Amino acid sequence: METPLVICYGNVSRGDDGAAHRVAEVLLHTAGVRVVPVPLLDVALAEEVSSSKVAIFVDAERRAHPPVRVTRVVEAPLDAASVHSLTPAGLLSLARALYGSAPVAHLVTIAAPEMGHGEGLSVTAEAASREAASVIIAMCEQA
């Protein structure tokens, strides 16, 4: 069984926007999960994504409910603008264009109502991050 790739991204200097990094902290101690915490999705991730069978993207989303939402990610057409601000769908497309393959992928979003300047998570985002880590562990066990 191939180890799923989990890419956790967000800005830790924008409060709850860093919630995915809290998920990464939990998952770094979980066997069978390859975790990559980054501030944003970048072209440099395309090769690692292309060599994965399963990719899970983790990001904060400005909302209070539900705590965790999981959606399937499908490739999206690339244009010059999208390479400068990659989405999970764009990164999948880039992986296929550059390296010939893209994995099955999901996006796990975390409730993150407070994204002002400053570090630390709100109570809502902290709880949602813990729940997201559990959801991702279950997804990885099924992969």
Side-chain angles (χ1 to χ4, degrees):
M1 177 173 78
E2 187 175 317
T3 303
L5 173 64
V6 180
I7 300 174
C8 300
Y9 61 101
N11 185 344
V12 295
S13 297
R14 296 291 307 224
D16 288 351
D17 193 41
H21 290 275
R22 179 76 83 233
V23 173
E25 290 171 5
V26 173
L27 296 179
L28 284 171
H29 305 290
T30 302
V33 179
R34 188 170 32 139
V35 181
V36 178
V38 293
L40 54 98
L41 297 179
D42 186 85
V43 172
L45 294 166
E47 184 174 12
E48 190 165 8
V49 167
S50 74
S51 66
S52 300
K53 185 176 179 180
V54 175
I56 300 170
F57 297 91
V58 185
D59 192 16
E61 185 174 75
R62 191 182 304 264
R63 67 170 193 267
H65 297 285
V68 177
R69 184 178 292 145
V70 179
T71 56
R72 179 78 186 265
V73 179
V74 295
E75 295 175 49
L78 284 175
D79 61 30
S82 66
V83 174
H84 295 287
S85 60
L86 281 173
T87 63
L91 188 54
L92 291 179
S93 297
L94 189 60
R96 183 170 307 282
L98 294 176
Y99 302 101
S101 65
V104 171
H106 291 87
L107 172 63
V108 175
T109 57
I110 304 161
E114 299 175 24
M115 292 193 184
H117 291 285
E119 295 185 15
L121 301 179
S122 67
V123 171
T124 298
E126 183 69 44
S129 295
R130 286 192 304 274
E131 183 175 331
S134 295
V135 167
I136 293 165
I137 289 168
M139 291 171 70
C140 290
E141 288 172 350
Q142 295 174 358

